[in-house]
Amino acid sequence: MTKIFVSFDYDHDRELYGSLVAQAKSLDSPFSIVDRSLPSAIHDGNWKRQVRARIREVDVVVFICGVNTHSAAGMAAEMSIAHSERKRYFLLKGRPDRTCSKPKNALGWDRMEPWTWTNLKELLKSP
């Protein structure tokens, strides 16, 4: 079972996180959600230390991208932590009918992947 940390724009995309939680509960789910983004109100030095410890404990960080992801400071911080911890991660397009953006500090080659059940399971298998 792959352990994941889910990064999302807490102020705009909480329901997308709920959708991923529902998928994690599926009988054929290859992943479990270990932790997730927290409200932006607690973004201080202590918050970053806590998130770093949580990200260290997972196999993959999943970034759910929405319309306002580019301005989500928490997601940018989580992306920086994933980079510095050398964690595997991928970006999911959270709103298929809208133009979604990547976290501000996503790498140039980071692709936003379509969010389908089949694709999600494949992305979790990839090294």
Side-chain angles (χ1 to χ4, degrees):
M1 178 82 52
T2 303
K3 299 182 296 184
I4 68 170
F5 179 97
V6 182
S7 179
F8 62 98
D9 181 347
Y10 195 89
D11 295 329
H12 298 102
D13 297 324
R14 271 182 280 183
E15 81 283 1
L16 297 177
Y17 170 73
S19 296
L20 192 60
V21 168
Q23 287 181 312
K25 292 178 181 177
S26 176
L27 292 177
D28 65 337
S29 176
F31 68 95
S32 64
I33 296 173
V34 173
D35 224 318
R36 63 178 176 86
S37 294
L38 300 170
S40 59
I42 61 170
H43 287 245
D44 60 19
N46 189 42
W47 172 86
K48 288 179 182 176
R49 282 191 295 280
Q50 290 176 8
V51 168
R52 182 175 299 278
R54 293 170 182 182
I55 286 176
R56 282 182 182 149
E57 298 299 316
V58 301
D59 302 308
V60 179
V61 180
V62 177
F63 290 88
I64 302 176
C65 299
V67 175
N68 298 296
T69 298
H70 63 284
S71 62
M75 289 185 76
E78 291 162 353
M79 176 69 77
S80 291
I81 293 167
H83 287 155
S84 69
E85 293 296 326
R86 300 182 186 270
K87 283 296 175 175
R88 185 162 70 92
Y89 68 89
F90 57 85
L91 285 62
L92 287 178
K93 184 174 183 180
R95 302 190 183 281
D97 57 336
R98 307 275 306 272
T99 301
C100 296
S101 60
K102 297 177 186 179
K104 184 170 44 176
N105 54 350
L107 301 176
W109 56 80
D110 286 340
R111 290 185 31 181
M112 198 178 316
E113 302 289 344
W115 185 357
T116 65
W117 183 232
T118 301
N119 196 38
L120 178 59
K121 290 194 286 187
E122 285 301 312
L123 289 165
L124 289 165
K125 281 189 214 174
S126 301

